[in-house]
């Protein structure tokens, strides 16, 4: 029996098609479970967990690096599409409020990340990027581009997405502001010219990343160019849900398949302190939100969501399904994303401790 199991395990590890089929099936199961919990990051988190399970069981498949980089261009377009046209006018009219909200949240997150690095809970710059409140997918991609361990950054970012989404949803429900979420239409009618333009923009990000060897360019170029062209009416970013789902799945697999049993054990040991830091970060940002509510004259829930350190997409979904000042929330969130993208590499270099970079098993 032991010999048969050994041969089966060996055959499975050497059969890539079987591994991909199993990975897809397990991903669907995890996505379905997370969707039941109404977790907005389910389409990425489910495949990532499935990848972790397969990798820890001895799977050897990997997402091609070019495909991995290409998904970053799609995510850059997704963020660009979501940036509200009112962001410039909102920031211009209330710049002291935005400076307080954005600056305070970034500083608080950086301090928590520095503490985790200082106490050697996570190695190198991983804790800094893991704490960065700039959108989970974007921060994970940026961290990998700047040499941090993508596994640990994803572990911390998506643990925070889970915590923030749960808390924010409970708060919105408690104050009677939550509305039912509309069902997703996976295959809507497509504006083919806009779709082609969007794919060209994402491809330019990939080309710039490969040509100039700037890893973060695959995300940054589509984000900046897409936001500019979209908000000036030059182009319409067309991203059908099925394409976003595929991109999230590929990104999740690319991260999850890099895990090993040793690295999972490392994350499990760090979990209590990381989770405590995340709860502390949520509480501190909520405190800033209440100060912001008084200073800006907005309702407490609007201020809470505006300063929430969760994933950008998660907060956007909760805000649009609640009775809050949506333009204010989205403008604050996206202003913070832009500041974090600009300052994240510098903060990671300044606050991380290079002495502990080797603490995580490969």
């Amino acid at each position: 029996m032991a010999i048969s199991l050994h041969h089966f395990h060996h055959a499975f590890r050497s059969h890539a098609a079987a591994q991909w089929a199993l990975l897809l099936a397990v991903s669907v199961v995890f996505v379905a479970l997370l969707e039941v919990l109404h977790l907005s990051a389910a389409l990425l988190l489910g495949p990532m967990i499935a990848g972790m399970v397969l990798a820890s069981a001895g799977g050897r498949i990997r997402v091609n690096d070019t495909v991995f980089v290409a998904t970053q261009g799609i995510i850059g377009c997704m963020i660009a599409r979501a940036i509200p046209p009112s962001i410039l006018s909102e920031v211009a009219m209330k710049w002291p409020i935005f400076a307080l909200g954005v600056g305070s949240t970034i500083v608080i997150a950086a301090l928590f990340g520095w503490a985790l690095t200082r106490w050697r809970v996570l190695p190198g710059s991983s804790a800094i990027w893991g704490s960065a409140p700039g959108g989970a997918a974007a921060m994970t991609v940026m961290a990998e581009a700047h040499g941090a361990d993508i596994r640990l950054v994803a572990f911390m970012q998506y643990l925070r997405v889970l915590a923030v989404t749960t808390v924010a949803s409970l708060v919105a429900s408690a104050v009677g502001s939550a509305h039912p979420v509309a069902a997703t239409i996976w295959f809507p009618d497509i504006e083919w010219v806009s779709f082609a333009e969007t794919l060209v923009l994402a491809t330019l990000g990939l080309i710039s990343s490969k040509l100039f060897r700037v890893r973060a360019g695959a995300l940054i170029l589509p984000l900046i160019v897409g936001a500019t062209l979209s908000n000036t009416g030059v182009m319409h970013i067309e991203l059908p849900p099925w394409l976003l789902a595929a991109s999230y799945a590929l990104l999740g697999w690319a991260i999850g398949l890099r895990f090993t049993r040793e690295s999972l054990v490392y994350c499990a040991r760090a979990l209590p302190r990381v989770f405590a830091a995340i709860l502390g970060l949520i509480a501190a940002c909520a405190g800033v939100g209440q100060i912001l509510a008084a200073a800006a004259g907005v309702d407490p829930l609007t201020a809470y969501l505006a300063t929430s350190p969760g994933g950008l997409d998660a907060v956007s979904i909760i805000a649009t399904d609640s009775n809050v000042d949506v333009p204010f929330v989205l403008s604050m969130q996206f202003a913070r994303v832009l500041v974090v993208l600009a300052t994240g590499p510098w903060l990671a270099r300044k606050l991380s401790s290079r002495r502990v970079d080797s603490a995580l098993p490969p």
Side-chain angles (χ1 to χ4, degrees), residues 82 128 259 361:
I128 309 300
F259 277 85

Side-chain angles (χ1 to χ4, degrees), residues 64 89 91 97 115 120 124 160 181 184 195 204 208 262 265 269 284 296-297 344:
N64 179 272
S89 59
V91 174
I97 300 300
R120 301 196 176 198
R160 194 174 78 230
V181 178
T184 300
F195 183 54
L204 288 177
S208 69
E262 292 76 16
V265 169
R269 289 174 178 170

Side-chain angles (χ1 to χ4, degrees), residues 9 34 53 80 87 95 114 119 130 142 149-150 156 158-159 162 170 173-174 185 198 205 221 233 242 257 352 360:
H9 187 255
L34 294 172
V53 171
I87 185 171
W95 69 264
W114 174 81
W119 297 333
M142 286 287 291
D149 192 301
I150 193 173
M156 189 168 178
Y158 287 100
L159 182 62
L162 177 60
L170 290 174
S173 298
I185 301 175
T198 303
L221 188 146
W242 58 263
L257 290 170
S352 63
L360 181 69

Side-chain angles (χ1 to χ4, degrees), residues 116-141:
L116 290 174
T117 300
R118 184 75 173 177
W119 297 333
R120 301 196 176 198
V121 178
L122 295 179
S125 62
S126 298
I128 309 300
W129 284 109
S131 300
M139 291 302 97
T140 302
V141 169

